[in-house]
Amino acid sequence: MIADRKWVERNLGFDPISTPPPAAAFTVKTVAASAVKRSAKVAPEDFQREIIDFDSEAPEGREFVAFSTATGLSRFTDIPWPKGLAPQTGPKPKGTGNGPLPKADVLVVTWTVDEGHALSRVLTPGKDSRNDYVSYTHNFATLSKKFRKGAPALQAKRLGAYWTTKIGKKSVVVFKSDSHMSQDGPQLPNIDVWRQIIQEVKPKLVITTGTAGGIGKLVEVGDVVVSPVVRFDCTSKFKKQPFAMAHYTSSPAKSSKFAVAKGLFKANSAQLPKDNTRPPKIIKVAPADLKSSVVTTDLFGFDTSDNHYKLQGLGDVSEMGDAILGLVAKDMSKSAPRWLAIRNVSDPQIKAEGTLRQQAQVAATIYKGYGRWSSVCSAITCWASIVAEP
């Protein structure tokens, strides 16, 4: 699938370049000015921040939904879980969040505000990541010294937020991170955050999950890539780091419940783009299949029909952080848990029309329309991966 301005108009009801949403539908002022007034310079971090902070449940989200044909999570349909396997939301975690995370069999980490809304709807029913989760501030005073001024974690005054759930016999910590490789600055405190939360939870399995840009023409919005192989493609601010082009692998995904998961997608698949030609699928990647990996970029890189960012052939999807988990796991050596990157396609390949900034605006607009709904698919796939654990 290739998306262009006409694709956005058919699926979301407006052309993001000629008739963009009002400024109130944006989170980042420079991105709003660029779209509405076409007068502002936009840094790569600004588009990243628009995606990270956009909240479909907040005023900017309501403005976006009112302007477009997008739907909010108020349209969410409860998932008909198999008997005995519905997620069981835990009680409020003990303490105030300034101590270690609780131990659990599985640690699931997500990143953007809308990913958090979707993941919590699926895995912690009744408790929302923004409104209810416990703020996690353990060692914040120390780690905060590494964050650049203006980083999301500094503004939130925490490293993230969490709750617990149980799926079958597995205990799970669900963590919405406020630390981001793309936003934290050159000292990469996200490495320290990953190491700390893994050492506290002591999980057998770690899942990093959320939205990603599709690479190539074959993926559609809502497709889910389940990968035990991640790679860096750092061509910007981290290009001189020793890990700039490194890749990391873990054990194969356990896929016995993936067919069930795809059936469960149906409850909410009507909220995905009408241009989709088929139901969303789950793409299981083998550890040796580097060309189908999850690709971590150090800029707002997305696949275009002219392959501007040279992503084609590197993996199935691109995002901005998962390879940090692979790096941390490698450093932990034998004490590292198994891990998976479970990423949904929130925006497909973008047609190379107009300027690169306009193409970025198209990609960000599609995310704002469908990021939460595609994340429902990846959240269900997380459920399936946990249920399949022995």
Side-chain angles (χ1 to χ4, degrees), residues 120-357:
S120 56
R121 279 290 181 107
V122 175
L123 296 188
T124 58
K127 297 297 179 182
D128 179 70
S129 59
R130 184 194 67 184
N131 299 328
D132 304 307
Y133 280 23
V134 174
S135 290
Y136 174 69
T137 58
H138 191 212
N139 289 333
F140 179 78
T142 299
L143 293 178
S144 64
K145 297 174 183 178
K146 290 189 173 185
F147 288 93
R148 71 169 180 87
K149 184 179 179 181
L154 284 186
Q155 292 187 340
K157 296 182 174 58
R158 66 184 194 183
L159 300 175
Y162 74 98
W163 206 267
T164 65
T165 193
K166 193 168 185 179
I167 299 173
K169 296 181 179 180
K170 302 299 179 185
S171 56
V172 183
V173 169
V174 182
F175 188 88
K176 193 283 176 193
S177 181
D178 289 313
S179 168
H180 305 268
M181 170 187 160
S182 68
Q183 295 289 316
D184 292 349
Q187 295 190 63
L188 282 171
N190 189 238
I191 292 174
D192 302 283
V193 175
W194 261 124
R195 186 180 294 115
Q196 175 171 297
I197 64 177
I198 290 173
Q199 289 173 343
E200 291 173 359
V201 178
K202 300 188 184 306
K204 295 179 181 178
L205 174 66
V206 179
I207 297 173
T208 173
T209 189
T211 52
I215 299 175
K217 301 176 183 179
L218 299 181
V219 293
E220 297 191 354
V221 176
D223 286 348
V224 181
V225 174
V226 181
S227 181
V229 54
V230 293
R231 74 190 304 167
F232 283 110
D233 182 46
C234 295
T235 60
S236 183
K237 51 192 170 187
F238 297 123
K239 64 182 179 181
K240 294 184 179 180
Q241 292 287 344
F243 59 73
M245 295 293 162
H247 70 273
Y248 311 95
T249 59
S250 187
S251 302
K254 300 185 185 304
S255 57
S256 61
K257 298 297 182 181
F258 283 179
V260 176
K262 286 190 289 185
L264 298 176
F265 290 171
K266 295 177 183 177
N268 291 283
S269 61
Q271 308 301 335
L272 295 171
K274 62 183 180 181
D275 268 27
N276 276 7
T277 62
R278 53 169 174 75
K281 61 183 179 180
I282 298 175
I283 302 165
K284 180 185 176 183
V285 178
D289 196 359
L290 185 58
K291 290 186 178 181
S292 292
S293 66
V294 170
V295 184
T296 295
T297 63
D298 63 343
L299 46 73
F300 182 46
F302 50 94
D303 188 30
T304 60
S305 58
D306 64 353
N307 198 22
H308 177 83
Y309 291 105
K310 303 296 187 291
L311 295 172
Q312 293 170 25
L314 295 183
D316 285 343
V317 290
S318 66
E319 51 73 57
M320 296 175 285
D322 284 357
I324 293 288
L325 171 58
L327 172 66
V328 169
K330 182 181 179 182
D331 288 346
M332 293 179 70
S333 188
K334 293 182 179 179
S335 65
R338 291 174 45 246
W339 54 264
L340 288 171
I342 299 180
R343 286 283 175 172
N344 66 80
V345 176
S346 57
D347 45 293
Q349 185 183 87
I350 304 300
K351 184 176 180 180
E353 63 177 357
T355 66
L356 190 62
R357 185 170 74 174

Side-chain angles (χ1 to χ4, degrees), residues 77-96:
T77 297
D78 289 339
I79 298 164
W81 301 108
K83 185 177 180 180
L85 294 177
Q88 301 296 314
T89 305
K92 184 177 181 179
K94 297 179 180 179
T96 60

